[in-house]
DNA sequence: ACGGGTTCTGTAATCGATTACATAGCAGGT
DNA sequence: ACCTGCTATGTAATCGATTACAGAACCCGT
């Protein structure tokens, strides 16, 4: 329709400066008139890319991840990348399935929000048919060679403990995340270190098992209530557990911060609207997603290939609300 | 390596029954040894499909959508479809961008969780360069010809009102969602109809403006508190607003259900752990996502093309918890 | 008028899997 | 021995965009 070859059309679209003014006009005019849209599949085949970033989410049903996904999408879409999501914890997602997804023919890049990927899957990174480049965000697999965008979990835990200490609490407990999770370990380590530095007791019965869920927070509260000598301050490794904890003591006729000061971690949406509003450690979830996506995109566009892309640690912040108060 | 042509390899992979036992073995053995993985881009180009479903989410940051996405992913992944997400409310997503995404070269199918897509975009459905088939889920554009998977919002609202009525409430208010939203309208209509059927007053000052957010629920609570004659029961069109409403009256020294019974809508995660636990209308979010994805997949695989795919309305359920009680 | 240089455009190969068509091989029947 | 029919496989075209290469058109200076 524009009276030119397909080669020229292609040039007009993907590299407009090499075609003449008049031709470019004619081509774009014809494109408008026909409603032509470029076939991404064909382009990607020829270019040897997929134009997609796969995000591995450990549990899509967990609203914690939604803002991180939003951040990834915000950074990826303007760069022309599609964002593809895979739930790594679905029953259908066995390891072979997963590997198929992770292969380079499906995605140019991976972002994993799941730190517990099957190890032998990660081990294949060096092979001939390698996985696409991978970035961890939020969670990560310790001692793996992959770049990560994370927050300083130890520092966050320490902030929570110091906050309780400043309010006069001397008996401080901790509700942990699921065993084996990196975040659990780091937050636990930060808690213990801060307690020791402040000269506070570290008593095993004040460390409650949990799994980040509301339910496990409530369970921890029951254990807490059964203690002879209760901590007056409790740092929960997630806001959900903090909410569960408070819910449970309230139904038992107690309240926070009157009977116990509670600090959460994450600063999820409800934290500020819970009753009492939750004192917590804020992590910048949108920024984490954006940073991870930008890092990947820069790495793709970096032809030199030699540039070293480094881990990023984003700052956390203590948000003091109503769930903590002076020790009695 | 298997001593056969590429055609035979292709057949062994995508239609194993047509190749001989021995050849099939040889091919799969070679595949294992080389670590070969099929190039999805090339396959999709040849097959004229993309293998992807695009999900249009009005606001990825809203955790309400996470379970719906999980449901979509659960149904799509086993069928070999990738799930691609696009946030329709991002500033970068202008209309042209959006149209590029929606075009058939990027996705075989669309699921829109956004009922407020630009109308002229939907109008293009009939054109030569049509949009891929679209299914609405949760929200939808009224009077559009697209199939939808939704819940019965009017019935849900009526359940909430009847519940309050049964508890003895005779002055009932409603906190609305954003104007123009289908869900807002349906829930409002259900509310008004139920009130009329029960012979209860429908007073304009008992209908509060809102936008589904926590914040707007708190704002409605302030208006409620300023009334001379307050409703004793309030039905909020979202759980978030119900939480905001209760938060606000609690900080003013009142409480639910002592001073007002509050019913929410959605049954989001925190609803059961809020203090007081929220009485609400439960909607099956995972099932909605699954149903939408399954419908699309069936429609793709249905060669006949003639089969009529119908709207699905999934049931809602009243969950009675602690935020409602007998009228005093 | 002619060589050198620039700019623009067309030709044709290419990415990797699929598939219509052709053909080879073999069994069974007459 | 020959034909029919079936199965298994190879050959080569195809999907649509990109791009190396070649060639056309034009400008400029001598």
């Amino acid at each position: 329709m524009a009276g030119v070859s397909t080669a020229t059309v292609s040039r007009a679209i993907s590299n407009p400066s090499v075609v003449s003014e008049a031709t470019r006009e004619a081509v774009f005019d014809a494109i408008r008139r026909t409603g032509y849209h470029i076939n991404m599949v064909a382009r990607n085949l020829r270019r040897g890319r997929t134009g997609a970033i796969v995000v591995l989410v450990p549990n899509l049903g967990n609203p914690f991840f939604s803002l991180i996904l939003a951040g990834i999408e915000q950074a990826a879409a303007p760069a022309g990348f599609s964002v593809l999501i895979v739930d790594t914890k679905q029953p259908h997602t066995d390891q072979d399935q997963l590997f198929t997804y992770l292969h380079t023919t499906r995605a140019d890049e991976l972002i994993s929000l799941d730190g517990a990927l099957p190890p032998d899957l990660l081990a294949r990174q060096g092979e001939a048919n390698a996985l696409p480049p991978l970035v961890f965000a939020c969670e990560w697999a310790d001692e793996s060679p992959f770049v990560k965008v994370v927050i300083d979990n130890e520092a966050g835990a320490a902030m929570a403990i110091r906050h309780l200490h400043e309010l006069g609490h001397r008996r401080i407990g901790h509700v942990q995340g699921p065993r084996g999770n990196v975040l659990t370990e780091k937050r636990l380590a930060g808690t213990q270190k801060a307690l020791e530095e402040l000269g506070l007791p570290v008593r095993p019965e004040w460390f409650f098992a949990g799994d980040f869920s509301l339910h496990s927070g409530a369970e921890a509260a029951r254990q807490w209530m059964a203690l002879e000598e209760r901590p007056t301050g409790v740092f929960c490794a997630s806001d959900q557990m903090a909410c569960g904890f408070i819910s449970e003591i309230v139904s038992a006729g107690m309240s926070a911060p009157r009977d116990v000061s509670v600090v959460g971690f994450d600063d999820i949406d409800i934290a500020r609207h819970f009753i009492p509003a939750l004192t917590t450690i804020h992590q910048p979830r949108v920024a984490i997603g954006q940073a991870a996506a930008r890092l990947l995109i820069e790495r793709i566009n970096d032809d030199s290939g030699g540039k070293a892309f480094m881990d990023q640690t984003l700052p956390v912040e203590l948000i003091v609300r109503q769930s903590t108060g002076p020790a009695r």
Side-chain angles (χ1 to χ4, degrees), chain A residues 37-49:
Chain A
H37 273 267
I38 202 160
N39 184 319
M40 294 305 286
V41 179
R43 165 182 282 186
N44 288 334
L45 172 61
R46 177 60 225 229
R47 288 193 174 166
R49 334 174 321 158

Side-chain angles (χ1 to χ4, degrees), chain A residues 143-322:
Chain A
E143 305 184 15
S144 77
F146 302 101
V147 178
K148 52 187 190 286
V149 175
V150 296
I151 54 157
D152 193 337
N153 289 282
E154 289 198 44
M159 284 167 137
I161 301 302
R162 279 199 297 271
H163 169 64
L164 289 170
H165 180 259
E166 279 165 18
L167 287 169
H169 296 277
R170 293 299 175 261
R171 301 200 305 272
I172 296 178
H174 177 49
V175 184
Q176 304 174 45
R179 294 256 78 176
N181 181 291
V182 242
L183 305 180
T184 301
E185 304 306 331
K186 296 290 174 194
R187 290 172 196 175
L188 176 60
T191 300
Q192 289 175 328
K193 209 165 138 208
L195 288 174
E196 282 160 18
E197 282 175 10
L198 294 167
L200 298 178
V202 179
R203 299 247 299 258
E205 70 269 30
W206 293 350
F207 285 78
F208 307 95
D211 61 7
F212 290 148
S213 73
L214 278 157
H215 180 80
S216 70
E219 175 58 31
R222 282 190 289 276
Q223 290 175 29
W224 174 82
M225 289 188 285
L227 289 174
E228 298 233 331
E229 196 180 14
R230 295 174 187 149
T232 62
V234 171
F235 164 49
C236 298
S238 80
D239 281 352
Q240 301 216 36
M241 292 197 295
C243 292
F245 192 98
I246 294 174
S247 282
E248 190 63 24
I249 64 163
V250 166
S251 29
M254 298 194 240
S255 87
R258 202 189 60 209
D259 300 289
V260 59
S261 283
V262 178
V263 182
F265 202 114
D266 287 345
D267 195 19
I268 59 179
D269 280 13
I270 5 107
R272 64 183 316 141
H273 298 276
F274 199 72
I275 308 173
L278 219 57
T279 294
T280 191
I281 306 298
H282 173 84
Q283 50 172 317
R285 291 185 282 156
V286 174
I288 293 172
Q290 287 181 331
R294 289 216 192 92
L295 195 150
L296 277 185
I297 292 165
E298 274 177 38
R299 191 155 65 175
I300 288 184
N301 296 338
D302 179 41
D303 347 333
S304 75
K307 195 159 147 204
F309 289 91
M310 310 223 301
D311 290 359
Q312 289 183 33
T313 303
L314 302 183
V316 291
E317 195 185 343
L318 173 72
I319 310 280
V320 180
R321 297 205 183 94
Q322 273 90 55

Side-chain angles (χ1 to χ4, degrees), chain A residues 4-89:
Chain A
V4 297
S5 73
T6 61
T8 304
V9 174
S10 174
R11 279 187 282 256
I13 292 168
S14 41
N15 195 3
S17 64
V18 304
V19 303
S20 73
E21 179 74 22
T23 315
R24 207 183 318 144
E25 296 283 301
V27 170
F28 285 131
D29 187 52
I31 287 176
R32 257 190 306 279
R33 294 219 307 280
T34 56
Y36 167 88
H37 273 267
I38 202 160
N39 184 319
M40 294 305 286
V41 179
R43 165 182 282 186
N44 288 334
L45 172 61
R46 177 60 225 229
R47 288 193 174 166
R49 334 174 321 158
T50 67
I53 293 176
V54 164
V55 183
L56 300 167
V57 186
N59 176 11
L60 252 178
N62 183 340
F64 175 78
F65 295 111
S66 56
L67 276 181
I68 298 174
L69 282 178
I72 293 173
E73 211 265 347
Q74 268 173 40
F81 284 91
S82 305
V83 178
L84 235 128
I85 53 175
V86 176
D87 192 327
T88 55
K89 293 288 187 288

Side-chain angles (χ1 to χ4, degrees), chain A residues 78-108:
Chain A
F81 284 91
S82 305
V83 178
L84 235 128
I85 53 175
V86 176
D87 192 327
T88 55
K89 293 288 187 288
Q90 290 291 321
H92 67 76
T93 321
D94 60 12
Q95 196 168 321
D96 282 342
Q97 269 263 0
L98 205 55
F99 191 63
T100 306
Y101 262 110
L102 304 198
H103 200 262
T104 42
T105 67
R106 179 106 50 169
D108 298 326

